[in-house]
Amino acid sequence: MQSIFLALGANLGEREEHLRQARALLQRAEGVTILAWSPLYETDPVGGPEGQGPYLNAVLAGTTSLAPADLLRLCQEVEAACGRVREQAWGPRTLDIDLLIYGDLVLEAPDLILPHPRLHERRFVLEPLCDLAPDLIHPLLKKSLRRLLADFDQAQRVSRFLESW
């Protein structure tokens, strides 16, 4: 079993419901155990087209017996089940699931890079990730998530939206 961290985000429709549904589908998936989840955060969109609404973001912590490619495929199936349509890169979406960390694996494949290549550049990922594992060491940067968040200097609005969901 490998420890995993998954980032969830939604900025279309019933955002909170999409995140709840994703968590429930992942909890029921064969080969995945969800152990904990962060509070929900509301954040401004980063990148992508102008005029997008705010996101709700959270991070799930768990374990898996699935290979990284199979876990990615499962995440994409859950996105589709929650109404995700891939029309525009970084565009608005009902659900986005990013595989952030898979144990201490470092992987660079055409469709999957681990750890997530922009994890350390996104306060909306680091804040909820630090709620769950502040002392976890980033496999490439060799710094704790707490240190990465403390060193973060870009202004991105990230505010707690809901403690328990």
Side-chain angles (χ1 to χ4, degrees), residues 8 15-24 36-41 57-60 161-165:
L8 306 181
R15 302 173 304 164
E16 185 179 334
E17 184 53 36
H18 293 306
L19 299 184
R20 286 178 191 275
Q21 183 181 4
R23 182 181 64 195
W37 47 90
S38 72
L40 289 180
Y41 287 82
N57 295 100
V59 171
L60 306 179
F161 182 80
L162 191 60
E163 287 294 321
S164 179
W165 56 286

Short mmCIF file of all heavy atoms in Angstrom, two decimals, residues 8 15-24 36-41 57-60 161-165:
data_model
loop_
_atom_site.label_atom_id
_atom_site.label_comp_id
_atom_site.label_asym_id
_atom_site.label_seq_id
_atom_site.Cartn_x
_atom_site.Cartn_y
_atom_site.Cartn_z
N LEU A 8 -8.74 18.07 -4.57
CA LEU A 8 -10.05 18.20 -5.20
C LEU A 8 -10.35 19.68 -5.38
O LEU A 8 -10.07 20.49 -4.50
CB LEU A 8 -11.15 17.60 -4.32
CG LEU A 8 -11.02 16.16 -3.86
CD1 LEU A 8 -12.23 15.77 -3.02
CD2 LEU A 8 -10.84 15.22 -5.02
N ARG A 15 -20.72 23.22 -5.99
CA ARG A 15 -19.31 22.91 -5.74
C ARG A 15 -19.11 21.94 -4.57
O ARG A 15 -18.39 20.95 -4.70
CB ARG A 15 -18.52 24.20 -5.48
CG ARG A 15 -18.58 25.20 -6.60
CD ARG A 15 -17.93 26.52 -6.23
NE ARG A 15 -18.52 27.07 -5.01
CZ ARG A 15 -17.97 28.04 -4.28
NH1 ARG A 15 -16.82 28.57 -4.63
NH2 ARG A 15 -18.57 28.49 -3.20
N GLU A 16 -19.73 22.25 -3.45
CA GLU A 16 -19.55 21.40 -2.26
C GLU A 16 -20.07 19.99 -2.53
O GLU A 16 -19.45 19.00 -2.14
CB GLU A 16 -20.26 22.03 -1.06
CG GLU A 16 -20.03 21.28 0.22
CD GLU A 16 -20.74 21.95 1.40
OE1 GLU A 16 -20.98 23.17 1.36
OE2 GLU A 16 -21.03 21.23 2.37
N GLU A 17 -21.20 19.89 -3.19
CA GLU A 17 -21.79 18.58 -3.49
C GLU A 17 -20.89 17.77 -4.42
O GLU A 17 -20.74 16.56 -4.25
CB GLU A 17 -23.18 18.72 -4.10
CG GLU A 17 -23.88 17.41 -4.34
CD GLU A 17 -23.94 16.49 -3.12
OE1 GLU A 17 -24.09 16.98 -1.99
OE2 GLU A 17 -23.84 15.25 -3.31
N HIS A 18 -20.27 18.43 -5.39
CA HIS A 18 -19.35 17.72 -6.29
C HIS A 18 -18.17 17.14 -5.50
O HIS A 18 -17.74 16.01 -5.75
CB HIS A 18 -18.83 18.64 -7.38
CG HIS A 18 -19.86 19.10 -8.36
ND1 HIS A 18 -20.68 18.24 -9.05
CD2 HIS A 18 -20.23 20.33 -8.74
CE1 HIS A 18 -21.50 18.92 -9.83
NE2 HIS A 18 -21.25 20.20 -9.65
N LEU A 19 -17.66 17.90 -4.54
CA LEU A 19 -16.53 17.42 -3.74
C LEU A 19 -16.97 16.28 -2.82
O LEU A 19 -16.23 15.29 -2.66
CB LEU A 19 -15.90 18.56 -2.94
CG LEU A 19 -15.32 19.71 -3.77
CD1 LEU A 19 -14.63 20.72 -2.87
CD2 LEU A 19 -14.37 19.22 -4.84
N ARG A 20 -18.15 16.39 -2.25
CA ARG A 20 -18.67 15.30 -1.41
C ARG A 20 -18.86 14.02 -2.23
O ARG A 20 -18.52 12.92 -1.78
CB ARG A 20 -20.01 15.68 -0.79
CG ARG A 20 -19.95 16.68 0.32
CD ARG A 20 -21.38 17.01 0.80
NE ARG A 20 -21.40 18.14 1.68
CZ ARG A 20 -21.18 18.08 2.99
NH1 ARG A 20 -20.91 16.93 3.56
NH2 ARG A 20 -21.21 19.18 3.71
N GLN A 21 -19.41 14.17 -3.42
CA GLN A 21 -19.64 13.02 -4.28
C GLN A 21 -18.32 12.37 -4.68
O GLN A 21 -18.19 11.15 -4.66
CB GLN A 21 -20.43 13.44 -5.53
CG GLN A 21 -20.76 12.28 -6.44
CD GLN A 21 -21.53 12.71 -7.69
OE1 GLN A 21 -21.75 13.88 -7.93
NE2 GLN A 21 -21.91 11.73 -8.49
N ALA A 22 -17.34 13.19 -5.01
CA ALA A 22 -16.02 12.65 -5.37
C ALA A 22 -15.42 11.87 -4.20
O ALA A 22 -14.90 10.76 -4.39
CB ALA A 22 -15.09 13.78 -5.79
N ARG A 23 -15.49 12.45 -3.01
CA ARG A 23 -14.94 11.76 -1.83
C ARG A 23 -15.65 10.42 -1.62
O ARG A 23 -15.00 9.39 -1.38
CB ARG A 23 -15.08 12.64 -0.59
CG ARG A 23 -14.49 12.01 0.67
CD ARG A 23 -14.65 12.89 1.87
NE ARG A 23 -16.07 13.06 2.17
CZ ARG A 23 -16.55 13.99 2.98
NH1 ARG A 23 -15.74 14.85 3.57
NH2 ARG A 23 -17.85 14.09 3.21
N ALA A 24 -16.98 10.41 -1.74
CA ALA A 24 -17.75 9.18 -1.55
C ALA A 24 -17.38 8.13 -2.60
O ALA A 24 -17.21 6.94 -2.28
CB ALA A 24 -19.24 9.48 -1.60
N ALA A 36 -8.47 10.54 5.65
CA ALA A 36 -8.72 11.87 6.22
C ALA A 36 -8.92 12.86 5.09
O ALA A 36 -8.55 12.60 3.94
CB ALA A 36 -7.54 12.30 7.10
N TRP A 37 -9.50 14.01 5.45
CA TRP A 37 -9.65 15.09 4.48
C TRP A 37 -9.53 16.42 5.19
O TRP A 37 -9.83 16.55 6.37
CB TRP A 37 -10.96 15.00 3.70
CG TRP A 37 -12.17 14.75 4.53
CD1 TRP A 37 -12.98 15.69 5.11
CD2 TRP A 37 -12.73 13.49 4.89
NE1 TRP A 37 -14.00 15.08 5.80
CE2 TRP A 37 -13.87 13.73 5.68
CE3 TRP A 37 -12.37 12.16 4.61
CZ2 TRP A 37 -14.65 12.69 6.19
CZ3 TRP A 37 -13.14 11.14 5.12
CH2 TRP A 37 -14.26 11.42 5.90
N SER A 38 -9.05 17.38 4.44
CA SER A 38 -8.86 18.73 4.97
C SER A 38 -10.19 19.45 5.04
O SER A 38 -11.18 19.00 4.46
CB SER A 38 -7.92 19.51 4.04
OG SER A 38 -8.59 19.83 2.83
N PRO A 39 -10.21 20.59 5.71
CA PRO A 39 -11.37 21.48 5.57
C PRO A 39 -11.49 21.93 4.10
O PRO A 39 -10.54 21.77 3.32
CB PRO A 39 -11.02 22.68 6.46
CG PRO A 39 -10.00 22.17 7.42
CD PRO A 39 -9.23 21.12 6.66
N LEU A 40 -12.64 22.48 3.76
CA LEU A 40 -12.83 23.08 2.44
C LEU A 40 -12.29 24.50 2.48
O LEU A 40 -12.48 25.22 3.46
CB LEU A 40 -14.30 23.12 2.06
CG LEU A 40 -14.98 21.80 1.73
CD1 LEU A 40 -16.44 22.04 1.37
CD2 LEU A 40 -14.27 21.08 0.60
N TYR A 41 -11.65 24.90 1.40
CA TYR A 41 -11.14 26.25 1.23
C TYR A 41 -11.80 26.88 0.01
O TYR A 41 -12.01 26.19 -0.99
CB TYR A 41 -9.62 26.24 1.02
CG TYR A 41 -8.84 25.94 2.27
CD1 TYR A 41 -8.65 24.63 2.70
CD2 TYR A 41 -8.30 26.96 3.03
CE1 TYR A 41 -7.93 24.35 3.85
CE2 TYR A 41 -7.58 26.70 4.19
CZ TYR A 41 -7.40 25.39 4.59
OH TYR A 41 -6.69 25.12 5.73
N ASN A 57 -11.74 24.02 -2.68
CA ASN A 57 -10.61 23.09 -2.75
C ASN A 57 -10.49 22.33 -1.44
O ASN A 57 -10.80 22.85 -0.37
CB ASN A 57 -9.30 23.83 -3.01
CG ASN A 57 -9.26 24.49 -4.36
OD1 ASN A 57 -9.47 25.69 -4.46
ND2 ASN A 57 -9.00 23.73 -5.39
N ALA A 58 -9.99 21.10 -1.56
CA ALA A 58 -9.70 20.27 -0.40
C ALA A 58 -8.65 19.25 -0.81
O ALA A 58 -8.39 19.06 -2.00
CB ALA A 58 -10.96 19.57 0.10
N VAL A 59 -8.08 18.59 0.18
CA VAL A 59 -7.13 17.50 -0.06
C VAL A 59 -7.60 16.29 0.72
O VAL A 59 -8.02 16.41 1.87
CB VAL A 59 -5.70 17.91 0.34
CG1 VAL A 59 -4.76 16.70 0.30
CG2 VAL A 59 -5.17 19.00 -0.59
N LEU A 60 -7.52 15.13 0.06
CA LEU A 60 -7.81 13.85 0.70
C LEU A 60 -6.50 13.12 0.94
O LEU A 60 -5.60 13.15 0.08
CB LEU A 60 -8.69 12.97 -0.20
CG LEU A 60 -9.99 13.54 -0.73
CD1 LEU A 60 -10.69 12.52 -1.62
CD2 LEU A 60 -10.89 13.99 0.41
N PHE A 161 -13.49 27.69 4.23
CA PHE A 161 -14.90 27.81 3.87
C PHE A 161 -15.76 26.96 4.79
O PHE A 161 -16.81 27.39 5.24
CB PHE A 161 -15.07 27.35 2.41
CG PHE A 161 -16.46 27.45 1.88
CD1 PHE A 161 -16.96 28.67 1.45
CD2 PHE A 161 -17.25 26.32 1.77
CE1 PHE A 161 -18.25 28.77 0.95
CE2 PHE A 161 -18.53 26.41 1.27
CZ PHE A 161 -19.03 27.63 0.86
N LEU A 162 -15.29 25.73 5.08
CA LEU A 162 -16.07 24.81 5.90
C LEU A 162 -15.12 23.82 6.57
O LEU A 162 -14.36 23.12 5.89
CB LEU A 162 -17.07 24.06 5.00
CG LEU A 162 -18.16 23.24 5.65
CD1 LEU A 162 -19.05 24.10 6.53
CD2 LEU A 162 -19.00 22.57 4.57
N GLU A 163 -15.14 23.80 7.91
CA GLU A 163 -14.25 22.92 8.65
C GLU A 163 -14.56 21.44 8.42
O GLU A 163 -13.68 20.64 8.21
CB GLU A 163 -14.31 23.22 10.15
CG GLU A 163 -13.63 24.50 10.55
CD GLU A 163 -12.14 24.49 10.33
OE1 GLU A 163 -11.50 23.45 10.59
OE2 GLU A 163 -11.62 25.52 9.90
N SER A 164 -15.82 21.10 8.54
CA SER A 164 -16.22 19.69 8.45
C SER A 164 -17.23 19.53 7.32
O SER A 164 -18.25 20.23 7.29
CB SER A 164 -16.84 19.27 9.78
OG SER A 164 -17.26 17.93 9.71
N TRP A 165 -16.94 18.64 6.45
CA TRP A 165 -17.84 18.41 5.32
C TRP A 165 -17.95 16.92 5.05
O TRP A 165 -18.50 16.40 4.21
CB TRP A 165 -17.36 19.17 4.07
CG TRP A 165 -15.96 18.87 3.63
CD1 TRP A 165 -14.81 19.29 4.23
CD2 TRP A 165 -15.56 18.08 2.52
NE1 TRP A 165 -13.72 18.79 3.55
CE2 TRP A 165 -14.15 18.06 2.49
CE3 TRP A 165 -16.24 17.39 1.53
CZ2 TRP A 165 -13.42 17.36 1.52
CZ3 TRP A 165 -15.50 16.72 0.57
CH2 TRP A 165 -14.12 16.71 0.58
#
